Amino acid sequence: MRVAVLRFPGTNCELDTHHAFTQLGADVEIVWHNEQKLPEAIDLVVLAGGFSYGDYLRSGAIARFSPIMKAVVEYANEGNCVLGICNGFQILTEIGLLPGALKRNNNLHFISKFQTIKVIHNDNKFLSQCSTQEILNVPIAHADGNYYINPEQLDEIESNGQVLLRYCDSDGEPLAINGSLNAIAGVCNKNKNVFGLMPHPERAMEAILGSMDGKKMLEGFMN
Amino acid sequence: MRAVVNVYLKEGVLDPQGKAIAHALDSLGFGELVKGVRVGKQMVLELDSNDEASAKVEVEKMCETLLANTVIEDYTIEF
């Protein structure tokens, strides 16, 4: 299993992500955004969290024009797996690999805490090790995580089974943590090979750090 | 030549910053007058051109590709 983790100026979760996938037994390479090509024979590309280009203009708006992104779009269009975590999710919506957009949280706060999320669909590589309706506890840390999509497309992604994760309370009821429509925390594309989520699974890999639920999520890519 | 680009959240997309400012104006006593606030971004582009029509076409391209996210935002261009 070979994983490429992208690093843009301002990315700050690439080492955690590298550590997480290494812990799962993957061979991980960090790739600078100015590269034109992805490394040979990789099985997964991860866009890690952070503040690419200082979140100037909009989160992810400038990173999407980095040279490496052309290769990422080709890689995704060939049906390969791409995962965007937090700022990575924002970049994937900006470039159009994922539907919708992420706006400022409704309460205008940077929300940084452990948050329960519910698995909606596990018929995909990412969440294949989780059960549907399973409640996971994973850190969130974002100011722009308020998922928006127009009403027609919202119906479409819901009926296509593209909404993979929702914020929820401890009983699994949807929770309006940041204003996201339908409490959406993570989505995928129609082909279910491009995934994006605001929570940080790479920060929930060890019990001593509060949760191992992120490990369960990322393990899906290892099979 | 100078082009002024204004980018706003689309009508119908909740603008949390605008809402917070409207609330603050209300608590300052302007609530009866102020019906709503929307926060936008203004970008002032210094252009090397004298042809407004052709410049406008280019600035529109800039808006569509980078300056606005048309999933959530509308834009206006003024010269």
Side-chain angles (χ1 to χ4, degrees), chain A residues 4-72:
Chain A
V5 177
L6 306 191
R7 174 188 274 156
F8 299 87
T11 300
N12 66 10
C13 296
E14 74 278 30
L15 296 178
D16 303 49
T17 307
H18 184 291
H19 179 74
F21 279 100
T22 305
Q23 196 182 323
L24 293 175
D27 178 11
V28 189
E29 190 171 332
I30 290 182
V31 178
W32 181 234
H33 76 117
N34 259 342
E35 297 292 333
Q36 309 275 347
K37 281 187 188 167
L38 289 164
E40 294 287 315
I42 48 164
D43 304 292
L44 171 69
V45 171
V46 185
L47 286 78
F51 301 85
S52 58
Y53 292 90
D55 277 352
Y56 296 158
L57 190 61
R58 295 178 306 277
S59 304
I62 299 179
R64 65 152 286 199
F65 293 103
S66 281
I68 194 67
M69 288 310 293
K70 216 173 160 186
V72 172

Side-chain angles (χ1 to χ4, degrees), chain B residues 13-73:
Chain B
V13 176
L14 181 71
D15 176 359
Q17 295 183 86
K19 227 178 157 184
I21 293 167
H23 184 70
L25 288 172
D26 183 41
S27 54
L28 289 171
F30 297 109
E32 290 214 355
L33 182 62
V34 178
K35 290 285 166 222
V37 177
R38 293 189 79 71
V39 174
K41 280 177 244 181
Q42 185 173 79
M43 284 157 271
V44 180
L45 279 56
E46 298 292 345
L47 305 175
D48 187 4
S49 166
N50 296 316
D51 180 0
E52 191 178 309
S54 68
K56 192 171 180 191
V57 172
E58 292 301 302
V59 176
E60 260 167 19
K61 278 189 216 160
M62 296 176 205
C63 289
E64 292 287 331
T65 51
L66 174 67
L67 303 182
N69 178 344
T70 54
V71 175
I72 46 172
E73 295 170 325

Side-chain angles (χ1 to χ4, degrees), chain A residues 7 11 13 24 42-43 52 57-58 86 96 101 117 120 140 148 164 167 188 211 217-218:
Chain A
R7 174 188 274 156
T11 300
C13 296
L24 293 175
I42 48 164
D43 304 292
S52 58
L57 190 61
R58 295 178 306 277
C86 199
I117 52 175
I120 309 301
I140 56 169
Y148 179 85
L164 302 185
Y167 302 107
C188 64
S211 169
M217 301 169 85
L218 299 183

Side-chain angles (χ1 to χ4, degrees), chain A residues 103-171:
Chain A
K103 5 175 250 161
R104 184 58 41 91
N105 294 341
N106 268 3
N107 64 5
L108 303 176
H109 292 182
F110 186 97
I111 306 171
S112 181
K113 61 193 278 271
F114 268 95
Q115 174 61 46
T116 40
I117 52 175
K118 188 153 87 173
V119 177
I120 309 301
H121 297 288
N122 64 355
D123 58 345
N124 56 82
K125 197 138 198 191
F126 179 26
L127 299 175
S128 58
Q129 302 303 303
C130 304
S131 323
T132 54
Q133 309 299 311
E134 184 171 352
I135 298 173
L136 306 169
N137 189 27
V138 180
I140 56 169
H142 60 252
D144 297 326
N146 184 349
Y147 187 81
Y148 179 85
I149 188 165
N150 71 39
E152 300 80 56
Q153 282 181 297
L154 179 62
D155 286 348
E156 200 181 309
I157 62 169
E158 287 281 6
S159 60
N160 285 345
Q162 290 174 248
V163 176
L164 302 185
L165 296 161
R166 285 190 225 280
Y167 302 107
C168 67
D169 63 18
S170 52
D171 296 325

